[in-house]
Amino acid sequence: PTRTNPPGADTLRAASPSPTSPPPSPDDTPAARRKQYSECDPVGAGAVTMLRRTYAQEMSYLERVSPTQWRVRVGFVPNMRVPGVFYVNKHLETLMFDELSQYADRGDIGGFLPAVKQIANVACLPGIVQKSIALPDVHSGYGFAIGNLAAFDMDD
């Protein structure tokens, strides 16, 4: 089934470029965001409405590296600078993916952002070095997942 958000929900508006601002990068344009989210629809005036991806689509960005390690590919959330990685045993793996499944099913109504989404959001932060890492105790926090860590280059 196709999910749709209410009008105006999750809408990104392209900023009007000033005469002195550089042109937007090819990866930061409404067209690129539409391509990245196959479910996006233009709604006029440079706006893009993001529709929720299915659980299967979300899982296509996650890759098992070993029995206890998973990689979160760049693109899982817009503007990721580096990949994410998390380490979990079988029990915690089930909890992580149940949380992601519930998020995909419920839409934007209530609840925390899943830990795997928070890991990816940390990978978007300026200056992040190499990857966003989540240790085996990872769980949803208030923006930065509990058990998530990252190194930053303060000059970047």
Side-chain angles (χ1 to χ4, degrees):
T2 302
R3 291 184 184 88
T4 59
N5 290 334
D10 295 319
T11 300
L12 298 177
R13 296 231 176 253
S16 300
S18 72
T20 59
S21 66
S25 75
D27 296 331
D28 190 28
T29 63
R33 289 190 294 266
R34 279 193 298 278
K35 183 177 179 185
Q36 183 176 9
Y37 283 83
S38 60
E39 312 90 273
C40 293
D41 293 320
V43 293
V48 177
T49 300
M50 301 295 182
L51 301 179
R52 177 78 59 196
R53 288 192 296 226
T54 66
Y55 177 69
Q57 290 169 324
E58 296 282 24
M59 289 299 294
S60 72
Y61 287 90
L62 305 179
E63 171 189 4
R64 181 185 291 278
V65 177
S66 76
T68 57
Q69 180 184 2
W70 285 83
R71 180 177 299 120
V72 182
R73 292 190 189 111
V74 171
F76 185 61
V77 300
N79 303 315
M80 285 179 70
R81 297 166 176 257
V82 296
V85 63
F86 60 96
Y87 299 89
V88 290
N89 62 21
K90 198 66 170 163
H91 175 72
L92 292 174
E93 177 183 299
T94 300
L95 294 174
M96 289 283 285
F97 295 135
D98 283 350
E99 186 179 56
L100 183 61
S101 175
Q102 291 169 14
Y103 171 77
D105 289 344
R106 79 169 179 258
D108 286 332
I109 301 169
F112 284 94
L113 195 62
V116 69
K117 287 285 190 179
Q118 292 179 345
I119 294 165
N121 284 342
V122 170
C124 299
L125 294 173
I128 189 162
V129 177
Q130 292 189 354
K131 56 188 156 190
S132 172
I133 302 168
L135 301 178
D137 64 341
V138 66
H139 56 281
S140 292
Y142 290 97
F144 202 111
I146 308 302
N148 195 182
L149 60 110
F152 294 88
D153 179 352
M154 298 307 290
D155 293 329
D156 185 9

